[in-house]
């Protein structure tokens, strides 16, 4: 009988505790009193069945039922630090700050700072776009492709030279290759330039020598200038640079033979020719 009384006493004492809902109620004076709901705070708990509650102010929140008289403050999202401004933050849950486009924050630091997304340079492409919580991932363009702008989504292939065209400038990771018809134009310019210089030098030498009265332009040189046979220029001009040679008689004296002796055996002397006659003025004399 005594044991039954003790059990009944324990049930009476424990009943008020077990009847309270731990989420929405709290025990006061052996009574289960109501809490204020999410987004509110308690002003006074003078009425256990109907407490006086007040909404949290802007920038504050209360995520669950509470008997606290203060709400929690929302984090400050400063636009000067590249955070997006919170126009109407929630009063019933925590509103985390978000970075503006082009910036990201990590969840490890509860998004307290914003970091600028990595910019993929020319010669790279975007492998994975950045988000508000992750950075951009870049990758280099493969051989045979290129990109010219920042943060290109793809790398374009080099232009392929069609039949009859040759490569003018090679391609790289930041530029396309270019093609031209036949021989590259810069080689044509070089060939024309060399030919013009050679012609100018030949004409200059000719004019200079002609003014000094040394020679006339040989016919062979004229053919070289018109036909472009550069190898024959030197041959055409080679006799022009040689000095005139005097004819020197290196023959030995003639030995006396029967053909150059007289009948008396004397040496035949060479006739010097007629003597020089000096003209004089005739005078008329009358005796």
């Amino acid at each position: 009988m005594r044991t039954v009384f003790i059990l009944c006493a324990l049930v009476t004492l424990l009943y008020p505790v077990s009847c309270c809902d731990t989420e929405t109620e709290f025990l006061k004076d052996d009574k289960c009193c109501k809490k204020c709901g999410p987004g509110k705070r308690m002003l006074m708990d003078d009425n256990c069945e109907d407490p006086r509650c007040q909404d949290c102010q802007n920038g504050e929140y209360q995520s669950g039922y509470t008997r606290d008289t203060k709400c929690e403050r929302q984090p400050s999202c400063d636009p000067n630090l590249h955070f997006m401004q919170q126009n109407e933050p929630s009063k019933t849950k925590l509103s985390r700050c978000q970075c503006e486009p082009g910036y990201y924050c990590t969840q490890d630091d509860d998004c307290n700072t914003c970091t600028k997304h990595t910019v993929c340079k020319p010669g790279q492409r975007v492998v994975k776009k950045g988000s508000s919580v992750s950075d951009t991932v870049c990758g280099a363009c493969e051989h045979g492709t290129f990109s010219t702008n920042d943060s290109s989504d793809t790398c374009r292939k080099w232009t392929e030279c069609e039949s009859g065209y040759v490569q003018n400038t090679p391609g790289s990771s930041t530029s396309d290759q270019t093609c031209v018809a036949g021989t590259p134009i810069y080689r044509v310019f070089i060939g024309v330039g060399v030919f013009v210089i050679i012609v100018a030098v030949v004409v200059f030498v000719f004019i200079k020598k002609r003014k000094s009265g040394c020679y006339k332009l040989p016919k062979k040189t004229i053919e070289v200038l018109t036909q472009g046979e550069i190898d024959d220029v030197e041959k055409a001009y080679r006799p022009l640079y040689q000095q005139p040679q005097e004819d020197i008689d290196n023959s030995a004296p003639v030995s006396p033979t029967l053909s150059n002796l007289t009948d008396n055996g004397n040496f035949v002397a060479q006739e010097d020719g007629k003597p020089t006659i000096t003209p004089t003025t005739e005078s008329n004399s009358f005796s």
Side-chain angles (χ1 to χ4, degrees), residues 75-241:
S76 176
C77 303
D78 188 356
N80 295 323
L81 299 178
H82 305 290
F83 285 106
M84 295 179 63
Q85 187 175 3
Q86 294 182 343
N87 296 324
E88 295 181 359
S90 175
K91 294 184 178 182
T92 59
K93 63 180 180 179
L94 174 64
S95 298
R96 295 185 180 277
C97 295
Q98 291 185 347
C99 295
E100 63 185 21
Y103 292 82
Y104 73 100
C105 61
T106 61
Q107 299 294 340
D108 296 337
D109 61 356
D110 293 331
C111 204
N112 292 325
T113 57
C114 289
T115 305
K116 187 176 180 61
H117 283 153
T118 298
V119 177
C120 298
K121 302 297 182 181
Q124 297 179 326
R125 67 180 181 89
V126 177
V127 177
K128 181 180 179 182
K129 291 185 177 181
S131 66
S132 60
V133 294
S134 62
D135 192 12
T136 302
V137 179
C138 303
C141 291
E142 298 178 356
H143 180 71
T145 62
F146 73 102
S147 64
T148 57
N149 299 325
D150 291 341
S151 299
S152 298
D153 293 333
T154 59
C155 295
R156 293 180 293 170
K157 291 184 177 180
W158 292 345
T159 299
E160 295 184 1
C161 297
E162 299 179 356
S163 177
Y165 288 79
V166 295
Q167 183 190 76
N168 187 31
T169 56
S172 66
S173 61
T174 58
S175 63
D176 191 10
Q177 73 173 0
T178 59
C179 305
V180 294
T183 304
I185 190 65
Y186 70 89
R187 297 182 182 176
V188 176
F189 286 152
I190 292 175
V192 173
V194 171
F195 178 75
V196 170
I197 292 174
I198 293 175
V199 172
V201 171
V202 172
V203 173
F204 174 77
V205 172
F206 164 70
I207 294 175
K208 186 175 180 181
K209 293 295 183 181
R210 189 168 187 179
K211 286 182 178 180
S212 63
C214 292
Y215 60 87
K216 295 182 179 180
L217 188 66
K219 182 179 179 180
K220 183 62 177 179
T221 304
I222 297 176
E223 295 177 356
V224 169
L225 294 178
T226 56
Q227 298 178 4
E229 298 178 1
I230 300 177
D231 294 337
D232 292 338
V233 173
E234 183 179 356
K235 297 179 181 179
Y237 272 87
R238 188 173 300 164
L240 301 179
Y241 291 97

Side-chain angles (χ1 to χ4, degrees), residues 280-286:
T280 60
T281 304
E282 296 180 357
S283 59
N284 295 326
S285 61
F286 300 91

